Amino acid sequence: MYLFNTLGRRRVPFDPREPGKVAMYVCGPTVQAAPHLGHGRAAVVFDVVARYLRWRGYEVTYVRNVTDVDDKIIATALAEGVSTDEVVARSYAAFSEAFARLRVEPPTVEPWATHHIPEMIELIERLVETGHAYAAGGDVYFSVRSFADYGKLSGRDLDELLSGARIAPGDHKRDPLDFALWKAAKEGEPSWPSPWGPGRPGWHIECSAMARRYLGDGFDIHGGGQDLVFPHHENEIAQAEAATGKPFARYWLHNGMVNLGGEKMAKSTGHVVDLLGALDRWDPLAVRLFYLRTHYRKPIEFTEEALADAEASLRRLWAFRRRVDAVEATPDREVLDRFIAAMDDDFDVAGALAVVFEAVREGNRRLDAGEDVGGIAAAYDEVVGVLGLAEEVAAVTIPDTLAARFGTEATVDALVARREEARRARDWATADAIRDALAEVGIVVEDTPHGARWHRR
RNA sequence: GGCGACGUGGCCGAGUGGUUAGGCAAGGGUCUGCAAAACCCUGUACCCGGGUUCGAUUCCCGGCGUCGCCUCCA
């Protein structure tokens, strides 16, 4: 299995810290506002990474944090005249709902920043003790120049960074490159006691502290959006490695951005497509497929056509599976092997999807020929399950009035049977009327040589 | 300006030194009461200019273009 490691910018063999086990940490959302399409991508991408690794037999510990203390949360609360807790609760609920609808499995651990202040303080203390950090005016800063490896992830050169660096008013930095580990409390802000006085953690320290808390040093995979490479992940490495002298994370994976009109979606500029809104408008799994059909490291452009396209592709997949009843066969080995070959190559989901579509075509062909498709259908269930794209078969209820019109019970099966009866009698008018009536309540009926089949929408 | 990624057929999107990716859309056909689904057939694409090579979309150099990071950001 090969991964593209941002650290080193190369495709390298994946070799976990402990055989058979994978420890991974992914930067989760700052619960400040409603999620947009970009947040969904990161969640789905790493969901598939975790699902796939588990499917391949690894015992995966997946940690995805929640950042619940931050400048913008405070600003939003202030602007709306509500508590920060309220802003956090509202945003967290929206993220959770969106992720669930995208069929993102919950991580093994979902640590909240504010529940890990002691771990952060401890890490900061170690940095101060070892001379990598200094307190100034109630703040504590990381001394970037004290960490020789600074820039190794993002490929930055300290002297070139200088031009962009700045010291904001009120900072007590000794060097413009330094960044805050701890910020002294200001009036009306949430704060916690610390050796440097009341305050709150800087953004970067939480991830270093929580990743170490749950996964230890030298854990396997650290993921996040490409926009976090610098400075966030660079800083995480600096803090953790300066404090411990040990490697922090071994493989760094970064997902590409979701663009809108050629430009990255960004919360700060309001240049976004609301995620929950999109999930209302399109099938959530079509949104999931929209994310998945492009390699995770590439940017994707949001367009309505792209979503419609994904929906059509999904329907093709699902239509095949509906043609097959219960599957108890052994999954087709070739399909599985080709799927694995694609996924093992830095999670080439697009390539893996091609395998699925080819299997579907072969399956349909065999069904048309009256041949057995058990192995293919079983393989389909395996791989589509790993990708989280299987159709959800929900219970269907229809109004009694509809059934009454055609003199039958209020079940889809009863109406379909009634229609079959009409068809046998060559009563096309009744047959079509039933089909139309079912269509109005979202049921599609299709005739096959072996009788009618129906499905939702 | 610095660092990095990318540029594939109507659209989306993998991949490869020389044999069909795949999806969507389109046209033709088979099947079918109609419809839907499905299957078959149809498109020889890889930014531009050099170079390496028997041969490059695939490697190297240059150019053009797009995007990301360099400030909060999935």
Side-chain angles (χ1 to χ4, degrees), chain A residues 45 62 68 85 142 156 225 241-243 281 295 345 365 384 386 399 416:
Chain A
V45 161
Y62 176 18
D68 61 337
D85 284 349
F142 183 87
R156 308 285 152 149
E241 298 191 354
R281 182 155 172 210
H295 185 89
D345 182 11
R365 195 182 285 146
V384 170
V386 171
V416 169

Side-chain angles (χ1 to χ4, degrees), chain A residues 124 128 133-142 172 174 182 195-196:
Chain A
I124 297 170
V128 172
Y134 56 90
D139 296 337
V140 183
Y141 295 95
F142 183 87
H172 303 281
R174 289 179 193 160
W182 188 260
W196 314 283

Side-chain angles (χ1 to χ4, degrees), chain A residues 99-173:
Chain A
F99 290 171
R101 289 173 70 187
L102 282 168
R103 205 177 278 177
V104 170
E105 290 178 343
T108 317
V109 188
E110 187 177 52
W112 287 44
T114 57
H115 301 167
H116 297 79
I117 303 286
E119 288 92 329
M120 297 186 219
I121 289 175
E122 191 193 319
L123 194 59
I124 297 170
E125 283 184 308
R126 275 174 82 171
L127 287 167
V128 172
E129 283 163 19
T130 51
H132 290 290
Y134 56 90
D139 296 337
V140 183
Y141 295 95
F142 183 87
S143 174
V144 167
R145 297 271 179 193
S146 78
F147 183 64
D149 276 348
Y150 196 82
K152 71 177 175 181
L153 179 71
S154 57
R156 308 285 152 149
D157 180 87
L158 287 194
D159 297 317
E160 278 163 1
L161 273 174
L162 258 182
S163 58
R166 62 199 165 83
I167 299 183
D171 279 3
H172 303 281
K173 291 180 189 177

Side-chain angles (χ1 to χ4, degrees), chain A residues 368-392:
Chain A
D368 285 355
E371 296 168 11
D372 176 65
V373 289
I376 287 179
Y380 171 100
D381 285 348
E382 285 278 315
V383 304
V384 170
V386 171
L387 298 176
L389 292 171
E391 180 176 23
E392 187 165 356

Side-chain angles (χ1 to χ4, degrees), chain A residues 40 43-51 54 62 64 95-107 275-276 279 283-289 291-292 314 317-318 380-394:
Chain A
V44 167
V45 161
F46 291 105
D47 179 53
V48 167
V49 168
R51 284 170 181 256
R54 287 192 177 117
Y62 176 18
R64 188 188 64 210
F95 271 94
S96 297
E97 182 191 339
F99 290 171
R101 289 173 70 187
L102 282 168
R103 205 177 278 177
V104 170
E105 290 178 343
L275 181 53
L276 287 170
L279 295 174
D283 189 305
L285 294 185
V287 177
R288 187 175 168 101
L289 179 58
Y291 291 136
L292 256 21
L314 253 197
L317 256 29
W318 293 350
Y380 171 100
D381 285 348
E382 285 278 315
V383 304
V384 170
V386 171
L387 298 176
L389 292 171
E391 180 176 23
E392 187 165 356
V393 183

Side-chain angles (χ1 to χ4, degrees), chain A residues 22-349:
Chain A
V22 175
M24 65 185 263
Y25 183 96
V26 172
C27 287
T30 298
V31 282
Q32 168 232 153
H36 63 249
L37 271 176
H39 295 114
R41 183 180 191 187
V44 167
V45 161
F46 291 105
D47 179 53
V48 167
V49 168
R51 284 170 181 256
Y52 181 68
L53 290 170
R54 287 192 177 117
W55 184 70
R56 293 283 269 132
Y58 291 105
E59 185 186 314
V60 177
T61 305
Y62 176 18
V63 180
R64 188 188 64 210
N65 71 300
V66 172
T67 300
D68 61 337
V69 54
D70 145 275
D71 287 351
K72 284 183 184 162
I73 293 172
I74 295 167
T76 302
L78 223 56
E80 296 184 11
V82 300
S83 69
T84 53
D85 284 349
E86 194 172 328
V87 172
V88 165
R90 189 207 303 151
S91 174
Y92 179 74
F95 271 94
S96 297
E97 182 191 339
F99 290 171
R101 289 173 70 187
L102 282 168
R103 205 177 278 177
V104 170
E105 290 178 343
T108 317
V109 188
E110 187 177 52
W112 287 44
T114 57
H115 301 167
H116 297 79
I117 303 286
E119 288 92 329
M120 297 186 219
I121 289 175
E122 191 193 319
L123 194 59
I124 297 170
E125 283 184 308
R126 275 174 82 171
L127 287 167
V128 172
E129 283 163 19
T130 51
H132 290 290
Y134 56 90
D139 296 337
V140 183
Y141 295 95
F142 183 87
S143 174
V144 167
R145 297 271 179 193
S146 78
F147 183 64
D149 276 348
Y150 196 82
K152 71 177 175 181
L153 179 71
S154 57
R156 308 285 152 149
D157 180 87
L158 287 194
D159 297 317
E160 278 163 1
L161 273 174
L162 258 182
S163 58
R166 62 199 165 83
I167 299 183
D171 279 3
H172 303 281
K173 291 180 189 177
R174 289 179 193 160
D175 185 314
L177 294 174
D178 294 348
F179 58 88
L181 296 167
W182 188 260
K183 299 178 177 184
K186 293 189 193 122
E187 194 57 37
E189 289 183 355
S191 69
W192 292 262
S194 84
W196 314 283
R200 60 190 167 93
W203 175 37
H204 315 295
I205 195 70
E206 65 173 85
C207 290
S208 302
M210 293 190 286
R212 293 192 60 240
R213 159 82 168 70
Y214 292 101
L215 303 173
D217 294 311
F219 62 92
D220 298 302
I221 295 174
H222 190 126
Q226 219 139 51
D227 52 354
L228 298 183
V229 175
F230 188 90
H232 186 52
H233 291 163
E234 192 71 59
N235 291 354
E236 280 186 47
I237 291 175
Q239 294 160 344
E241 298 191 354
T244 64
K246 295 178 198 159
F248 180 51
R250 309 173 63 237
Y251 301 90
W252 289 82
L253 269 44
H254 292 98
N255 66 276
M257 302 292 99
V258 178
N259 291 168
L260 176 61
E263 275 174 39
K264 175 191 154 188
M265 282 193 192
K267 202 156 46 180
S268 54
T269 54
H271 181 66
V272 296
V273 173
D274 178 64
L275 181 53
L276 287 170
L279 295 174
D280 284 337
R281 182 155 172 210
W282 291 281
D283 189 305
L285 294 185
V287 177
R288 187 175 168 101
L289 179 58
F290 161 73
Y291 291 136
L292 256 21
R293 60 189 199 150
T294 302
H295 185 89
Y296 78 91
R297 278 192 283 110
K298 280 193 160 190
I300 44 179
E301 175 73 21
F302 166 81
T303 61
E304 312 225 327
E305 295 72 41
L307 268 298
D309 192 287
E311 258 181 353
S313 299
L314 253 197
R315 277 198 291 273
R316 174 169 169 75
L317 256 29
W318 293 350
F320 161 68
R321 189 58 186 80
R322 284 192 211 108
R323 298 180 71 184
V324 188
D325 295 319
V327 173
E328 281 168 31
T330 305
D332 184 276
R333 196 64 240 172
E334 191 190 333
V335 171
L336 256 34
D337 286 344
R338 294 181 60 210
F339 175 77
I340 290 168
M343 293 296 284
D344 273 3
D345 182 11
D346 193 28
F347 304 106
D348 178 12
V349 178

